[in-house]
Amino acid sequence: SSSSSSSSSSNTSNNPPQTSKAVDNNNKRNIFIPSILAVVILVAIATAIIAYWKRCCCSSDDDQITELALIPNDVLVPAAIPRYTYKQLWNATQGFHDKARVGRGGFSTVYKGRLLLNQPTKKGESMVYEDVAVKRLNKEGLRKIDEFFSEINMINKLQHPRLVELKGWCYEKGEAMLVYQFMSNGSLADHLFSSRKENTGGVLRSESRVEILKGVAEALSHLHGAGAVHRDVKAANVLLTSDFVAKLGDFGLLRLLKDDNHMTQTMTAAGTPGYTAPEVVFTRTPTSKVDVYSYGVLALEVACGRRVIDLSFDLTEERVLLNWVWSKHESGALMKALDPRMEMIDGEVDTTIWRCILHVALKCCHPIPEARPEMQEVLHALQHGVVVPLGPSRPPYPGDYVLHHPGFLDGHKSMTSLSSYSNDHYTSSQSVSSSNTNQNTS
């Protein structure tokens, strides 16, 4: 009994150390397991970040070759046009940062970037950079791969000193980008439409405006001579160099008048409201006269210093520029339509050249395409100050012409009176009758 008691006492005296050791082990386990989990989570996050960075900024040559293998051979880009990697353009635009964004359209976003032109091979050799404009197409702007490369080929074939130069391209991971020369003075719209009540410090001078219009006319004359139509001529697409030399840009709607099979292509009613030729709504057939009409509207904006449609004017008849200029002509006060700010900074304005421009502009905006001049004729008139003749009043729009045009829907047997035209809207004085239904042109 004494021995048993002694053994029990001995066991009791040893229990406290065993319990303390177990507690220590549990504490270590409680600290160790969360630490391991934290390390695993951090490694997973780091792996995801590295994978995302590689996907965005890096791509192997094998990946690029695989992507190009999907493109038909007949639309591959000529070797003369440089190809840039996604990583190069990512770095050039600071990761497509918002601060680098200089423009945004319905189908693309444009960023200013700095591209490295050389890789120094000798010690002390400096690196050479060039400012470029990177046009990053969105999903709507890149419908098909072959269309993207066909557009590059088209632009390459049509290059001209009065067209914004294509510097290169990129296609990786479903991303399509075009690299253009950077135009440091932005668009014509940036300089033309400053408030009429502002000071005249940033207003374009009369001589600069004339040269800009000549430059755009030269660009369009070149395109039309090559069998192409721009389809979106407007102030926002006229870009200016540091010396205010005008170049026509944004070829998103550029189309050849005939494809490889010599079949006329149809077009949607694309373009910008106010600039779009009236027949496009009905015929949807691309012709050079579509650009001529848009050029006429542009020339009116440059001459008058105001937008084609400006709802800020109190009087309804002043809100549509084309209507207002025609009313000035009909009242014998056409030169009163000129932007008064030109006189404020230039003093006396050469009315001869501006009368020539206003007459050319109104002639270009004639409602019947065949009555509009060719761009080569427009360029000649501007270069030599030729004042083309105009009628005493605005020409009416004959609705019969539109309805019988080959591009319009077949089966319309119509009879209509002359219609008045008002800035892309048709207002017929009589209803148009057909074999089945009565329609109103509007």
Side-chain angles (χ1 to χ4, degrees):
S1 174
S2 174
S3 175
S4 174
S5 175
S6 175
S7 175
S8 175
S9 175
S10 176
N11 289 338
T12 302
S13 62
N14 291 333
N15 280 340
Q18 291 177 357
T19 302
S20 177
K21 185 175 181 180
V23 170
D24 289 341
N25 288 338
N26 287 335
N27 289 338
K28 289 179 180 179
R29 187 180 298 109
N30 291 338
I31 295 173
F32 180 74
I33 292 176
S35 299
I36 292 296
L37 290 175
V39 171
V40 170
I41 292 172
L42 289 174
V43 170
I45 293 174
T47 302
I49 292 174
I50 292 173
Y52 177 78
W53 179 82
K54 286 184 175 181
R55 183 169 64 85
C56 289
C57 304
C58 305
S59 61
S60 66
D61 292 338
D62 291 340
D63 291 338
Q64 296 179 25
I65 292 172
T66 300
E67 286 181 319
L68 289 180
L70 301 174
I71 304 166
N73 291 329
D74 60 342
V75 296
L76 286 178
V77 179
I81 306 179
R83 182 189 183 195
Y84 295 101
T85 64
Y86 189 99
K87 181 179 180 180
Q88 285 176 300
L89 300 186
W90 170 278
N91 291 334
T93 59
Q94 304 174 57
F96 301 108
H97 198 280
D98 285 345
K99 292 182 179 179
R101 190 176 68 227
V102 293
R104 175 179 288 171
F107 303 109
S108 63
T109 304
V110 181
Y111 300 87
K112 179 183 178 180
R114 285 180 62 80
L115 274 177
L116 179 64
L117 298 183
N118 68 327
Q119 292 290 345
T121 56
K122 297 179 181 179
K123 187 176 181 180
E125 185 178 356
S126 61
M127 293 184 291
V128 179
Y129 290 87
E130 180 182 18
D131 288 339
V132 294
V134 180
K135 182 178 179 180
R136 189 183 190 187
L137 301 181
N138 56 26
K139 292 181 180 180
E140 290 75 18
L142 179 65
R143 297 177 182 178
K144 294 181 181 179
I145 298 175
D146 58 343
E147 287 183 358
F148 171 67
F149 285 93
S150 294
E151 182 174 330
I152 295 176
N153 272 317
M154 193 184 307
I155 296 172
N156 181 58
K157 292 176 183 177
L158 297 172
Q159 289 204 60
H160 184 271
R162 289 297 190 172
L163 299 176
V164 177
E165 182 184 356
L166 179 66
K167 293 283 189 178
W169 60 279
C170 171
Y171 181 81
E172 288 182 26
K173 295 176 287 296
E175 284 265 16
M177 288 175 276
L178 296 171
V179 182
Y180 290 101
Q181 76 179 106
F182 182 74
M183 306 292 281
S184 58
N185 264 322
S187 75
L188 174 59
D190 297 334
H191 299 270
L192 194 59
F193 301 129
S194 58
S195 173
R196 300 174 70 91
K197 296 180 181 180
E198 291 178 359
N199 61 53
T200 58
V203 177
L204 285 172
R205 304 183 71 90
S206 172
E207 184 180 355
S208 296
R209 300 189 196 204
V210 173
E211 291 304 314
I212 287 170
L213 288 176
K214 289 180 181 178
V216 178
E218 187 178 345
L220 289 174
S221 179
H222 166 73
L223 287 178
H224 296 172
V229 57
H230 187 280
R231 296 172 61 199
D232 200 18
V233 179
K234 60 182 178 180
N237 288 340
V238 176
L239 304 179
L240 305 173
T241 67
S242 57
D243 298 324
F244 284 91
V245 174
K247 297 193 178 190
L248 189 58
D250 199 341
F251 306 99
L253 295 176
L254 180 68
R255 290 291 181 272
L256 291 176
L257 295 178
K258 294 182 181 296
D259 61 16
D260 294 336
N261 296 322
H262 303 289
M263 296 292 289
T264 301
Q265 297 178 355
T266 58
M267 61 188 273
T268 59
T272 301
Y275 285 94
T276 308
E279 70 272 11
V280 172
V281 179
F282 294 96
T283 67
R284 302 196 175 191
T285 301
T287 70
S288 60
K289 295 305 179 72
V290 171
D291 285 345
V292 174
Y293 183 93
S294 300
Y295 178 85
V297 174
L298 173 68
L300 290 179
E301 289 187 322
V302 173
C304 304
R306 44 175 286 194
R307 297 183 184 276
V308 60
I309 300 175
D310 191 340
L311 301 181
S312 66
F313 286 93
D314 295 330
L315 298 177
T316 304
E317 57 268 25
E318 293 186 2
R319 294 177 180 177
V320 179
L321 180 59
L322 182 56
N323 291 347
W324 180 69
V325 175
W326 264 117
S327 69
K328 291 293 184 184
H329 173 67
E330 291 169 344
S331 64
L334 180 60
M335 302 310 292
K336 295 292 184 181
L338 290 179
D339 187 351
R341 295 175 299 174
M342 287 193 291
E343 285 191 359
M344 295 172 64
I345 59 175
D346 289 326
E348 188 176 355
V349 175
D350 182 359
T351 56
T352 302
I353 186 61
W354 282 111
R355 185 176 298 279
C356 162
I357 290 172
L358 288 171
H359 275 239
V360 165
L362 292 177
K363 193 72 173 178
C364 288
C365 292
H366 198 288
I368 300 178
E370 285 78 5
R372 300 170 200 156
E374 300 290 342
M375 283 310 305
Q376 186 62 40
E377 296 174 307
V378 170
L379 181 58
H380 180 269
L382 297 186
Q383 289 175 336
H384 297 87
V386 178
V387 179
V388 298
L390 288 175
S393 60
R394 183 175 186 164
Y397 193 94
D400 228 22
Y401 168 83
V402 170
L403 295 174
H404 285 101
H405 192 281
F408 193 56
L409 298 176
D410 295 331
H412 282 76
K413 296 180 180 179
S414 60
M415 182 174 60
T416 182
S417 65
L418 294 182
S419 305
S420 60
Y421 163 73
S422 175
N423 191 61
D424 292 345
H425 295 86
Y426 299 89
T427 307
S428 179
S429 58
Q430 293 183 8
S431 62
V432 180
S433 62
S434 68
S435 56
N436 298 320
T437 60
N438 289 329
Q439 298 175 321
N440 288 322
T441 55
S442 61

